[in-house]
Amino acid sequence: MLTLSSAVLWGVAHVAADRRKTGIALMAVYLLMLAGILTLFTAFSSRLLSLAVQPRWLIVLTVALVVIALAWTGVIIWSFLLVRPPSTDTVGRFLTTTLTLALCALILIPTVYAARLSYLSRDVVNSLFSSGGAAVPADDPWHGARHVNFLLLGGDSAPGRPGVRTDSVTVASVDTSTGATTLFGLPRNLQRIQFPAGPARDRFPAGFTGDGPDTPGLLNEIFQFAEDHPDMVPGVPKGQRGPALIKQTVSEILGIPVSYYALIDMKGFAQMIDAVGGVQVTIKQPIVYGKYREGLLPAGTRRLSGEEALWFGRSRTDSDDYVRMGRQKCLLNALAKQADPMTVLNSFERLATLTKRFISTDIPQEVLPAVVDLSQKMKGTKMRSLSFVPPLIDTANPDWRLIRREVTEALDEQRRPTGKPVTAAPREPAAVQSPDQPVTLDATCA
């Protein structure tokens, strides 16, 4: 009991063994350590996630955990040696030794697990996010910008389809002060794309028309086209040409600066959903899926596996690209709400492996703490969506001025503290596939 008590409060066994000064000193150290940990998890709780994406702090955290665990284990063993039964009490010695070893394991095993998670986190950050850029001011990481815009791409690099086609193109525009987010969806079959001024526009002054029957000139071809034609973005190394041109192009289309991009391979997307135990969505109409129509997702609210979620977001059987775009945003909305910390933690090792394998991005390490802080603000807001699809936009002959005007109005409405409630048009499913104003995803996807 004294050994067990010393594991809960350092120094108890020492006081019982008439080593009062040592016991009181251990109690004081323990209480100070406990107060420090409680302060860290209360007063600085909002900063903990930010520290978790900084490799330097991950090392500090790992070292601190190991030192505390070793000190704790040392106190337990020291306490046991002071109060253990006499050598003649064989049964007592065996039982108390077993208890002491169990207490040490209770301290060391979680520490080893936490150190493992810390190592994996550091490995993911170093593998996925580049470093070496300019320092980001903590008080103004977005340099006074009202919105920061992230380009989210879903790519298909399946066998038989050489290269990467970005079939899902969405810009998440996040208010830097409130976290309010609007998703702007661009259809993959958008044509006559206007490139920004430079070599790409010089090559296609009348709009992107592709290069032969394999590239008819759609939005989803630009990423790979840039990779295959270095003259489109001269001076940019292979592997970065596609991201550079698609970011510039989407910025030109929407009239807002795209700061960063993230591309996920569709196959990896399905595996990541499986890793977190699936995703729950509401299916409004039955969805046929599979290359040979071998599957069916019935209507209703249900939890989908990774493969089913992938088809939920990609199937065009008995529908079209625009309905599919609406489902993709509902899927993003559901994932954002359901990926709670415990779910992610339980699947962390597998998610870390999949992240390194299937995701690419140009978000630098120095910006990650600000991105994490922004994501926490986003959780308390309702995500909205505006898709540039027919009848709002003719994908074969887009009205670029209208697109930019709609974006500006949507962001102004997002920023306004009070104003006319944003609702979907009363039609179904046209409220999802062709809205004339942003719609709240909570209402649209339910």
Side-chain angles (χ1 to χ4, degrees):
M1 289 304 297
L2 287 171
T3 303
L4 180 60
S5 299
S6 295
V8 177
L9 175 61
W10 295 0
V12 171
H14 287 73
V15 172
D18 290 329
R19 297 194 179 188
R20 296 182 181 277
K21 289 184 178 180
T22 304
I24 292 173
L26 285 172
M27 288 180 182
V29 170
Y30 177 80
L31 292 174
L32 285 173
M33 180 186 72
L34 203 61
I37 294 173
L38 289 174
T39 301
L40 183 66
F41 279 93
T42 53
F44 301 98
S45 59
S46 60
R47 300 289 300 165
L48 289 179
L49 285 177
S50 299
L51 296 179
V53 293
Q54 300 179 58
R56 181 182 60 185
W57 282 106
L58 286 171
I59 293 175
V60 172
L61 174 64
T62 303
V63 171
L65 283 172
V66 171
V67 169
I68 291 173
L70 291 177
W72 208 319
T73 304
V75 169
I76 293 173
I77 295 174
W78 189 7
S79 301
F80 167 70
L81 294 176
L82 288 175
V83 297
R84 60 183 171 176
S87 56
T88 55
D89 185 358
T90 307
V91 175
R93 278 268 178 127
F94 174 78
L95 292 176
T96 53
T97 300
T98 302
L99 171 65
T100 302
L101 293 175
L103 289 173
C104 291
L106 193 63
I107 299 297
L108 292 175
I109 290 175
T111 303
V112 171
Y113 179 69
R116 171 69 175 166
L117 292 183
S118 178
Y119 169 79
L120 290 172
S121 298
R122 183 169 174 269
D123 184 44
V124 169
V125 171
N126 285 329
S127 301
L128 188 59
F129 304 97
S130 60
S131 182
V136 177
D139 57 337
D140 186 19
W142 309 117
H143 304 287
R146 289 176 55 183
H147 300 89
V148 59
N149 305 302
F150 300 90
L151 176 59
L152 311 177
L153 302 171
D156 184 354
S157 56
R161 295 187 63 184
V164 176
R165 290 172 175 80
T166 54
D167 286 342
S168 178
V169 181
T170 301
V171 170
S173 184
V174 187
D175 189 302
T176 55
S177 61
T178 66
T181 303
T182 300
L183 302 178
F184 297 109
L186 294 172
R188 71 178 187 91
N189 60 338
L190 204 61
Q191 301 179 43
R192 300 180 61 188
I193 309 297
Q194 298 295 313
F195 289 118
R201 181 178 288 185
D202 295 341
R203 179 167 180 168
F204 297 100
F208 181 53
T209 55
D211 187 21
D214 292 334
T215 54
L218 307 181
L219 177 63
N220 70 338
E221 300 164 6
I222 291 176
F223 186 101
Q224 190 60 43
F225 195 89
E227 288 293 332
D228 296 337
H229 299 81
D231 58 301
M232 296 283 283
V233 277
V236 179
K238 184 175 178 60
Q240 299 179 24
R241 293 193 285 262
L245 186 58
I246 193 70
K247 281 173 58 180
Q248 296 169 11
T249 303
V250 172
S251 293
E252 181 75 11
I253 293 173
L254 300 180
I256 55 177
V258 173
S259 301
Y260 308 106
Y261 90 96
L263 168 67
I264 182 169
D265 184 277
M266 292 299 189
K267 187 183 299 183
F269 182 70
Q271 293 183 36
M272 294 178 82
I273 289 178
D274 280 333
V276 296
V279 59
Q280 182 172 299
V281 298
T282 297
I283 303 173
K284 296 194 172 184
Q285 297 177 348
I287 298 172
V288 177
Y289 73 89
K291 188 174 181 179
Y292 303 104
R293 301 173 64 98
E294 64 268 23
L296 177 70
L297 300 177
T301 299
R302 61 189 71 256
R303 181 167 293 275
L304 305 182
S305 67
E307 182 182 2
E308 290 171 336
L310 188 59
W311 281 106
F312 174 80
R314 296 186 66 193
S315 177
R316 285 178 290 169
T317 304
D318 300 329
S319 62
D320 54 32
D321 270 330
Y322 315 125
V323 172
R324 179 174 75 166
M325 285 176 63
R327 292 200 303 265
Q328 289 172 357
K329 289 172 180 56
C330 290
L331 192 58
L332 285 175
N333 191 45
L335 279 172
K337 291 183 176 299
Q338 295 171 37
D340 60 272
M342 286 307 300
T343 300
V344 173
L345 187 64
N346 290 336
S347 312
F348 191 82
E349 187 155 356
R350 187 179 177 193
L351 285 173
T353 301
L354 294 171
T355 296
K356 292 191 297 180
R357 182 178 176 186
F358 291 111
I359 294 180
S360 60
T361 182
D362 63 350
I363 299 175
Q365 288 184 17
E366 292 76 13
V367 177
L368 283 179
V371 172
V372 170
D373 290 341
L374 198 60
S375 70
Q376 296 308 298
K377 294 179 182 178
M378 291 170 60
K379 285 185 175 295
T381 64
K382 289 187 177 181
M383 198 175 293
R384 304 191 309 165
S385 173
L386 175 59
S387 297
F388 295 105
V389 298
L392 179 62
I393 295 296
D394 179 359
T395 56
N397 187 27
D399 186 337
W400 307 115
R401 290 184 179 179
L402 174 61
I403 291 176
R404 287 189 283 270
R405 186 168 67 248
E406 291 287 335
V407 170
T408 301
E409 291 177 359
L411 293 181
D412 287 343
E413 179 67 27
Q414 178 194 82
R415 187 78 178 187
R416 198 172 298 135
T418 57
K420 183 179 179 181
V422 179
T423 57
R427 295 170 294 168
E428 179 68 35
V432 176
Q433 71 178 64
S434 54
D436 57 3
Q437 58 180 331
V439 295
T440 60
L441 287 178
D442 284 343
T444 306
C445 302

